[in-house]
Amino acid sequence: MRRHIRAAVAVVAAAFLTPLLTASPAPAASAASAASAASARPAHGPGKPTDCRPALQVLASLPGSGSSQVKGLGPKALAVGGSRGLPVYWTGTRVHRVPLPAGFTGGEVAAVNAQGLMVGSLNGAGRTAAFSFRSGARTVTLLPEGAHAADVNDRGLIVGDAAKDGAVVGLEWEGSRIHRRLAPPAGYSLSSVTAINNAGQIAGSGEAFKEEESWSAGLFWSARRDAAAVPLQRYWPSGVPYDYWYPRDIDHAGRIVGTHDFTRLDTRTPTQWLPPYATESEPGLLGERTSGTFEAISPTTNVSVGTAMDSHMVGPFPPETAPPEQAQIWPGTGPLLALPRLSPEGASQAYAVSDDQRVGGSAADAASTSHAVVWTCALRQAYQP
């Protein structure tokens, strides 16, 4: 349904909004130009490290073609993600393959906890499987019934989902066994299970249908095994099909970050939900960009990261004049800040952030090749465009 809405609205909005809404491309900055200004820029936000050097580290990729990206950050210099369509992890800048069981040809590591336990998903021969893995192990552990493993907390509890009879089923694993099944609220179907914190609180998203109406909501599960999921405010139970809410991460205090997708104008907005989840807040967009996301929040320091982009309907016009996507960071207060690009015209994205201000993601070089990267001392090199 969302694709049909986007297509229909795009035709109408192009006629009415083009003369009214414009945005100028945000100025780009390369890693070199940002680094030169870092010494004159004060550090932002809590938990600023005192013994690190701002840098944009390019991590090694596996041989072949395709992109590489960091999806999670572990202790010390451990990072996890994907390279050339395969699940990998990095120690420093060195890349290591996750061993694939027979019948699987690809996948990605989605997250890693403070003890180095990695989780993710494998694919091959028309199937997907959730897995866990530790560095040095000879093989992965396949998680029962799982199709995707999205996150793991420091207690070793893993969350993800499976497909059953055409529906998404939420699962929580402890070790290699199912710990509990994550049912959506009454009247809802589950869309995703995305994050778990050390308290055992879980975030995800779902949709509800009533006659010909439907609506979307972020979802929250408390740590109690018998507790029902609750929808995160703000949602539209009267049936507004343009608003979609996608919680992506939850920190140890229960702060949830994600994205509000308003399909009527093709805009995405970084969003935060705070306990007791009575409403959401949106800290704004990066500079003059017209769209953006939150993908992750640090465990304890309230630093969030995501990607800035532009709406095809709000501007800039024509759409091809918009600058490439850019990794962004928010220290919990004030405006969103840009992270340096690998090359002046290269796109970048941020997917993970740690308490010591490492940010993991991907960035394209001058040849448009996308590399897995880590920004160190990220807030010290972030800037307001």
Side-chain angles (χ1 to χ4, degrees):
M1 180 178 70
R2 294 179 58 199
R3 290 190 182 125
H4 297 307
I5 292 171
R6 285 181 187 266
V9 173
V11 174
V12 177
F16 289 96
L17 296 179
T18 300
L20 300 176
L21 298 171
T22 60
S24 302
S30 66
S33 62
S36 65
S39 60
R41 186 184 303 112
H44 301 270
K48 50 195 177 189
T50 58
D51 58 349
C52 66
R53 181 175 62 86
L56 175 49
Q57 297 178 337
V58 178
L59 311 187
S61 295
L62 294 178
S65 61
S67 62
S68 300
Q69 55 282 323
V70 171
K71 287 299 185 73
L73 296 165
K76 299 180 180 179
L78 177 64
V80 301
S83 180
R84 316 305 195 203
L86 296 169
V88 300
Y89 63 99
W90 292 268
T91 50
T93 61
R94 184 182 177 188
V95 65
H96 310 267
R97 296 173 184 260
V98 171
L100 295 176
F104 292 96
T105 57
E108 183 178 69
V109 185
V112 59
N113 70 6
Q115 284 73 46
L117 177 62
M118 311 173 203
V119 301
S121 304
L122 304 174
N123 56 70
R127 62 177 291 216
T128 59
F131 75 90
S132 65
F133 177 75
R134 289 186 183 274
S135 175
R138 298 182 62 182
T139 185
V140 302
T141 297
L142 296 180
L143 302 175
E145 300 183 25
H148 306 94
D151 200 12
V152 57
N153 69 11
D154 293 340
R155 295 161 51 198
L157 295 176
I158 303 165
V159 293
D161 61 56
K164 184 177 181 180
D165 299 327
V168 177
V169 178
L171 295 171
E172 179 183 16
W173 296 273
E174 184 175 24
S176 59
R177 67 180 182 88
I178 295 175
H179 182 62
R180 65 169 164 165
R181 298 179 186 273
L182 302 169
Y188 280 79
S189 62
L190 192 62
S191 300
S192 65
V193 178
T194 53
I196 183 170
N197 64 12
N198 278 0
Q201 299 167 322
I202 298 167
S205 62
E207 291 187 76
F209 300 88
K210 185 178 181 180
E211 296 177 354
E212 295 183 357
E213 297 178 340
S214 66
W215 62 93
S216 166
L219 302 179
F220 170 82
W221 291 263
S222 76
R224 286 180 25 232
R225 293 183 65 176
D226 59 346
V230 296
L232 297 173
Q233 300 282 359
R234 170 174 53 105
Y235 64 99
W236 303 102
S238 59
V240 178
Y242 303 115
D243 291 275
Y244 290 81
W245 309 90
Y246 298 107
R248 295 294 301 163
D249 201 7
I250 182 170
D251 75 359
H252 296 343
R255 291 178 288 235
I256 297 172
V257 297
T259 301
H260 170 207
D261 187 359
F262 184 55
T263 61
R264 190 169 190 175
L265 290 179
D266 185 41
T267 57
R268 300 175 185 177
T269 307
T271 303
Q272 185 180 66
W273 293 265
L274 301 177
Y277 312 116
T279 188
E280 90 292 346
S281 61
E282 297 179 346
L285 297 168
L286 177 67
E288 295 182 342
R289 304 306 292 258
T290 58
S291 203
T293 70
F294 273 161
E295 303 291 341
I297 185 170
S298 58
T300 67
T301 57
N302 195 25
V303 176
S304 302
V305 298
T307 302
M309 58 196 71
D310 288 292
S311 163
H312 289 167
M313 295 177 63
V314 177
F317 295 108
E320 57 266 23
T321 64
E325 293 183 352
Q326 186 164 14
Q328 62 184 5
I329 188 168
W330 185 54
T333 60
L336 274 72
L337 304 171
L339 289 171
R341 300 181 186 274
L342 185 58
S343 65
E345 299 301 322
S348 61
Q349 299 83 26
Y351 300 114
V353 58
S354 64
D355 280 343
D356 61 359
Q357 289 187 24
R358 287 175 295 146
V359 173
S362 61
D365 60 21
S368 299
T369 300
S370 182
H371 299 270
V373 297
V374 172
W375 290 265
T376 58
C377 294
L379 283 171
R380 292 189 185 180
Q381 54 180 314
Y383 63 96
Q384 194 169 351

